[in-house]
Structures are given as structure tokens and as C-alpha cells.
């Protein structure tokens, strides 16, 4: 009996798609070559980095805020234990997916897949038949010319999660999400952290006001930024790295010595070995698989989702696409609203955004109103030493419909979701402002920012 659908890859796109497909009655299998399920996100990405962000945030609290609250604790860093706590978290999560596969009767075909022809997935010497194939093979770090990754001295995010010891000086290439999350981890652990970024601002694409505030807060935490600098190369001698970069304005070439270099300059689709060229599957110049609104590739019966296609490389975007493609294959009408996909950076404070930035609205010439509220005016935040940051809501000037929201502050990654739901329902800022929010919660800052789009907030 052929499968109704085989997903290639058990990351957030593939495993969620497979579970939904099985729940909808499709005979489903997933091909995965890693030893454990969950893809990059669960094994060497989102989940392990969050474990290290959590433990080092606790360290920061113990070092900086415990005494103020009358708690006498002298924290000691046990790096080995911190790594094994992280590994335990990974194990619980990947094991959880394995349990869900069994529960939903999904076959895990272990190994790396090739697609010899539509309707066929080859793993090792066995060819599995499937009515539909969904490529959910994810992404891998992009290579930087002149920089050789050895995952010891020069590492990608994967190596940065398993360093033998905390470096004295960590140089980070790229002030994007990975660079800043992992840079924060090592800065909290006592490393000197220097971030070198090609552009003149950190976190490209982020609302500029939030990015500026974010940079200031990270600098206060000890991170140093060299902006407008293109990294030319890294040489390693005796376990030490020497990094060369060129300042774009003056063309001056400078060098920087570091114990460890983290290369975090973006990711690209990982489709190696699938046989896309032989099949004639259309891809973009950046290697992303071209799909239509139903996730169908240029070859009938073959679909693609997640980091392997266009759009933001985010686990939750891939999950939603997995969900949608499963529904489509089951004859339903799955779809993803790409206008309401939140983005979160899990530093402290967290940064979260959804919808349009102020810069985008200006460029579109769309009249808008801005409502801003600082966490300094939020009682709960003050009690928790979390007054840094603000909520900013952008609403259409004429209709008050929410067009975007940007939060830097405590639990921003959770707070953003009430705005996402509001946007899904086409809500106005006034709808949020008139919704009762429990006191004292961080979420009151969201309400106050919504009030600021209209008659004004109460607590500022
Ligand atoms: P990114 O695209 O977010 O940032 C890369 C940065 O490197 C850019 O600012 C770019 O200007 C800079 N850069 C590129 N070449 C350079 C050079 N030669 N010298 C100096 N700077 C250079 O990429 P990142 O941080 O590697 O993340 C990869 C993907 O993973 C992203 O799509 C990100 O959204 C996703 N991710 C998401 C997370 C989250 O949602 N919390 C966590 C980690 C990753």
C-alpha cells in the first residue's frame, strides 16, 4: 500500500504536517536522517538556545537583582551541568515528538531521502511509494567567503551550543537573531562579546526605533558592536582566531583577536541530495523551492514548506505551513496568513514584532497613528526589575485598524500574541484598548499602547 503522503524532514514543518495529516486520516510517513526527531529547531536551534538563555538569565538575576530583594546567593557557573541541562531539555522534546508519531501511527523512515521520480522516495536501497511528497528539509548556515567553520574555534550556532568552555572573547559575525541570542548567552556567562555587523544597524528589517533601543540595552549588558563592517576573513592559529574586517565608510581594514568566532550571517535552504535538479523542480536564485499558494512545486505531486521555500525562516511559519499543506492534501482549505506572523528574539528583554514597521508604512505612504507605552509605567514590570522597553502599536489613521506592533520588554514574545489575534480579526486599536486586562500584568502595557493610539494612556 503506498503512503498518502511522505514528509521529508522531521523539523517543525515536517513533524507538524505529518501529525495533522495522520489526524485527518492520511497514511503518513516521515523520512528523517538525524538520530532524533525535531530537526534543527529542537536539536540544535530554538530549544537548546532557549535553555541556555533561560539558565544564563537566571544567573543574571542572581548576580544583579537577588540581593536587592533580600536574597543572599552567590551563583557559581557549572558549564558542564548547564550543557547537560540543555541536552536533557532537547531529549524531552525530541522524545515527545517520537511519542506523538507513535500515537498518530506515523512511520519514521530513518535515513536520508532522494526523490528518484514523482511518487517515489528512496531511502538507502528501499523505494517507498507515496501519492504526495512534501519536502520539509529545512535550512543550513550560509558560508562566508574567507571563513572556514571547524565548529570548535570558528562555529555556527550548532557549535556555539556545545563549546568546551566559555570563551574569554567571543566575536560574533552578524547582528541578526542568532548572533544576538547566543551573544547574550556568552556575555552573561562573563565573555567579552564583540558583534561585527555589515549594516549600520542591528537586526535588519526590525522597526528602527526598537532596533536602536535594543542596541542600547545590549550595550548596557556589555555587548560591543562594530557596525558597517564587512568581515573579510578569519585565520586560526593555535586555537586562537584573528578576524579581519573592512569598515565600509572609510575602507579601513582592521583586525580583531578572539578565542571563538560565531558565524551568524544567515541561513539557506538545505535541499542537498534530494535530486531537485534531476526532477526539474524550479528554485529561486537563492535556492528556495518555488511553490504556489497550495505549496505545490513545479512538479505535480511534490510539495514544499518551511525554510526550504520563500518567506521568513521561522519554526512557527514552517509549522503553520505543515498544518496547511496537510489540510490541502486531505481535501480541505488550509492556508497561512503571512501578514500576521510574529517574530521574536529571546534575549532579555525580549523583542517581538508583527505586521508592518513604521518604516514600511512610511514607504507605502499609508497614514498611520502610533501608540507607545513604556514598561516604566507598568507596576508589574517595576516590581520585577523589568522596566526597560516599550510597546508600540501602529494603527491606520482613518480606520484605527491595527497594522503592526513592536514590543521590547518583559515577555514580549508572549505579549505579542494578543495583538496577533486582534489583527487576525481585523481589530482596531480601540478594540484592544476597551478590553479589560488583568492588573497587575505586563499585558497592561499593550492596552496602554492601544489607548495611546486614541485618547491617550492612563499611566504616563
Ligand atoms: P539573520 O539574517 O537574522 O542575520 C544575519 C546578519 O549578518 C545580518 O544582519 C547581516 O547584515 C549580517 N552579515 C552578513 N554578512 C556579513 C559579513 N560578511 N560581515 C558582517 N555581517 C554580515 O541571520 P541569523 O542570525 O544567522 O539567523 C538565521 C535565520 O534563523 C534567520 O532567518 C532567523 O530568523 C532564524 N532564527 C530565528 C530565531 C528566532 O526566531 N528567535 C532564532 C535563531 C534563528
Amino acid at each position: 500500500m503506498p503512503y498518502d503522503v511522505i514528509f521529508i524532514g522531521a523539523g517543525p514543518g515536517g513533524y507538524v504536517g505529518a501529525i495533522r495529516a495522520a489526524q485527518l486520516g492520511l497514511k503518513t510517513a516521515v523520512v528523517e536522517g538525524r538520530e532524533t526527531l525535531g530537526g534543527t529547531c529542537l536539536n540544535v536551534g530554538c530549544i537548546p538556545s532557549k535553555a541556555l538563555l533561560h539558565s544564563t538569565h537566571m544567573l543574571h538575576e542572581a548576580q544583579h537583582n537577588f540581593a536587592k530583594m533580600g536574597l543572599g546567593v552567590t551563583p557559581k557557573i557549572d558549564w558542564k551541568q548547564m550543557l547537560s541541562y540543555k541536552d536533557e531539555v532537547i531529549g524531552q522534546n525530541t522524545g515527545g515528538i517520537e511519542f506523538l508519531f507513535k500515537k498518530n501511527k506515523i512511520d519514521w523512515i530513518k535515513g536520508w531521502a532522494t526523490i528518484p521520480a514523482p511518487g517515489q522516495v528512496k531511502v538507502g536501497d528501499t523505494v517507498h511509494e507515496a501519492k504526495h511528497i512534501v519536502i520539509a528539509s529545512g535550512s543550513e548556515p550560509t558560508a562566508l567567503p574567507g571563513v572556514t567553520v571547524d565548529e570548535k574555534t570558528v562555529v555556527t550556532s550548532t557549535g556555539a551550543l556545545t563549546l568546551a568552555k566559555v570563551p574569554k572573547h567571543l566575536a560574533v559575525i552578524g547582528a541578526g537573531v542568532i548572533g544576538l541570542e547566543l551573544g547574550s548567552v556568552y556575555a552573561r556567562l562573563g565573555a567579552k562579546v564583540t558583534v561585527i555587523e555589515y549594516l549600520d544597524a542591528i537586526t535588519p528589517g526590525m522597526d528602527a526605533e526598537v532596533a536602536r533601543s535594543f542596541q542600547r540595552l545590549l550595550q548596557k549588558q556589555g555587548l560591543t558592536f562594530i557596525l558597517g563592517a564587512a568581515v573579510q576573513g578569519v585565520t586560526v592559529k593555535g586555537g586562537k582566531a584573528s578576524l579581519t574586517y573592512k569598515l565600509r565608510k572609510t575602507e579601513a581594514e582592521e583586525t580583531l583577536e578572539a578565542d571563538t568566532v560565531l558565524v551568524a550571517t544567515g541561513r539557506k535552504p538545505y535541499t542537498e541530495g534530494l535530486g531537485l535538479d534531476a526532477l526539474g523542480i524550479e528554485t529561486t536564485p537563492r535556492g528556495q523551492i518555488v511553490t504556489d499558494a497550495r505549496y505545490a512545486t513545479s512538479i505535480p505531486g511534490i510539495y514544499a514548506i518551511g525554510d526550504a521555500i520563500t518567506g521568513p525562516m521561522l519554526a512557527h511559519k514552517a509549522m503553520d505551513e505543515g498544518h496547511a499543506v496537510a489540510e490541502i492534501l486531505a481535501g480541505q482549505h488550509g492556508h497561512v496568513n503571512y501578514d500576521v506572523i510574529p517574530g521574536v528574539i529571546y534575549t532579555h528583554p525580549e523583542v517581538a514584532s508583527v505586521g508592518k514597521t513604521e518604516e514600511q508604512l512610511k514607504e507605502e505612504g499609508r497614514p498611520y497613528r502610533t501608540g507607545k507605552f513604556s514598561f516604566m509605567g507598568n507596576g508589574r514590570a517595576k516590581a520585577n526589575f523589568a522596566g526597560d522597553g516599550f510597546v508600540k502599536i501602529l494603527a491606520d489613521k482613518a480606520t484605527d485598524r491595527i497594522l503592526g506592533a513592536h514590543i521590547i520588554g518583559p515577555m514580549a514574545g508572549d505579549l505579542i500574541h494578543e495583538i496577533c489575534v486582534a489583527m487576525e480579526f481585523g481589530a482596531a486599536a480601540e478594540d484592544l484598548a476597551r478590553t479589560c486586562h488583568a492588573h497587575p500584568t505586563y499585558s497592561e502595557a499593550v492596552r496602554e499602547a492601544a489607548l495611546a493610539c486614541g485618547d491617550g494612556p492612563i499611566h504616563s
Side-chain angles (χ1 to χ4, degrees):
M1 270 278 286
Y3 287 103
D4 289 315
V5 54
I6 295 181
F7 284 83
I8 298 177
Y15 90 68
V16 167
I19 292 172
R20 180 52 96 224
Q23 287 172 341
L24 294 174
L26 303 182
K27 187 172 156 54
T28 306
V30 177
V31 186
E32 174 55 61
R34 277 181 206 267
E35 293 298 306
T36 47
L37 300 172
T40 300
C41 177
L42 269 66
N43 288 284
V44 286
C46 333
I47 296 295
S49 62
K50 258 80 273 173
L52 293 183
L53 279 158
H54 176 66
S55 50
T56 55
H57 177 57
M58 293 293 110
L59 171 70
H60 179 271
E61 290 293 284
Q63 286 170 335
H64 300 275
N65 292 328
F66 273 24
K68 294 181 203 160
M69 296 183 283
L71 299 170
V73 173
T74 311
K76 209 180 99 242
I77 300 164
D78 183 342
W79 178 235
K80 272 206 175 111
Q81 174 57 27
M82 203 178 276
L83 291 181
S84 70
Y85 145 71
K86 174 212 65 173
D87 290 339
E88 203 175 304
V89 173
I90 296 172
Q92 283 166 2
N93 281 276
T94 56
I97 308 298
E98 211 170 326
F99 163 79
L100 290 172
F101 272 22
K102 283 187 189 130
K103 183 179 160 199
N104 288 286
K105 304 196 170 36
I106 296 164
D107 290 341
W108 173 8
I109 303 168
K110 295 187 183 180
W112 301 101
T114 309
I115 310 171
Q120 293 184 351
V121 175
K122 191 171 176 211
V123 182
D125 294 330
T126 313
V127 175
H128 304 267
E129 309 266 315
K131 285 186 211 151
H132 308 288
I133 298 166
V134 180
I135 300 169
S137 51
S139 61
E140 61 178 344
T142 48
L144 197 58
V147 182
T148 308
V149 170
D150 59 15
E151 295 297 10
K152 282 195 177 84
T153 308
V154 182
V155 298
T156 64
S157 53
T158 304
L161 294 167
T162 51
L163 292 183
K165 59 179 193 293
V166 176
K168 280 204 184 74
H169 185 192
L170 171 71
V172 178
I173 311 177
V177 191
I178 293 181
L180 298 182
E181 286 187 354
L182 290 171
S184 285
V185 163
Y186 286 101
R188 291 171 193 167
L189 287 166
K192 177 181 172 200
V193 175
T194 309
V195 183
I196 301 138
E197 165 60 47
Y198 181 81
L199 299 173
D200 294 324
I202 67 168
T203 53
M206 182 186 278
D207 188 273
E209 191 181 8
V210 175
R212 280 194 299 272
S213 166
F214 188 32
Q215 188 184 335
R216 268 197 305 274
L217 290 171
L218 290 173
Q219 280 166 342
K220 239 168 67 181
Q221 293 170 18
L223 278 82
T224 304
F225 291 95
I226 300 172
L227 302 179
V231 170
Q232 311 284 295
V234 176
T235 51
V236 178
K237 232 189 219 156
K240 296 261 179 210
S242 178
L243 191 147
T244 319
Y245 59 89
K246 195 185 240 176
L247 292 169
R248 290 197 298 128
K249 266 192 199 127
T250 58
E251 300 243 308
E253 220 168 81
E254 317 234 327
T255 55
L256 186 81
E257 311 295 319
D259 305 288
T260 307
V261 177
L262 166 62
V263 186
T265 49
R267 297 179 64 87
K268 60 174 191 205
Y270 176 68
T271 53
E272 213 180 291
L274 290 175
L276 299 191
D277 287 344
L279 285 162
I281 287 185
E282 197 187 334
T283 56
T284 69
R286 294 180 56 203
Q288 298 152 314
I289 298 171
V290 175
T291 57
D292 65 13
R294 301 176 75 247
Y295 305 102
T297 67
S298 54
I299 302 298
I302 303 179
Y303 300 76
I305 58 170
D307 283 6
I309 69 169
T310 55
M313 287 184 160
L314 296 170
H316 44 280
K317 175 256 194 192
M319 286 173 159
D320 280 20
E321 289 175 346
H323 219 118
V325 79
E327 289 176 346
I328 289 164
L329 296 180
Q332 299 183 358
H333 302 282
H335 91 289
V336 176
N337 179 3
Y338 290 95
D339 291 335
V340 186
I341 295 187
V344 179
I345 307 181
Y346 299 87
T347 45
H348 195 83
E350 288 184 350
V351 183
S353 66
V354 64
K356 304 276 186 192
T357 62
E358 218 172 327
E359 291 69 37
Q360 284 172 327
L361 292 175
K362 278 186 189 144
E363 207 178 297
E364 288 172 16
R366 188 158 182 183
Y368 64 94
R369 256 191 297 209
T370 309
K372 249 180 84 177
F373 188 78
S374 162
F375 279 99
M376 285 296 180
N378 178 274
R380 184 71 178 278
K382 272 196 284 221
N384 295 359
F385 307 105
D388 282 332
F390 56 86
V391 179
K392 172 169 164 181
I393 295 178
L394 303 166
D396 186 278
K397 195 162 191 177
T399 65
D400 196 34
R401 191 181 175 131
I402 302 169
L403 303 173
H406 307 276
I407 309 178
I408 175 163
M411 304 294 285
D414 288 274
L415 294 179
I416 198 77
H417 292 95
E418 70 164 300
I419 305 171
C420 296
V421 174
M423 286 175 76
E424 282 286 355
F425 282 84
E430 187 181 349
D431 293 318
L432 265 187
R434 289 191 184 276
T435 304
C436 184
H437 285 63
H439 177 74
T441 59
Y442 297 137
S443 74
E444 288 173 286
V446 174
R447 183 200 202 171
E448 294 268 20
L451 279 166
C453 287
D455 295 334
I458 301 295
H459 294 91
S460 78

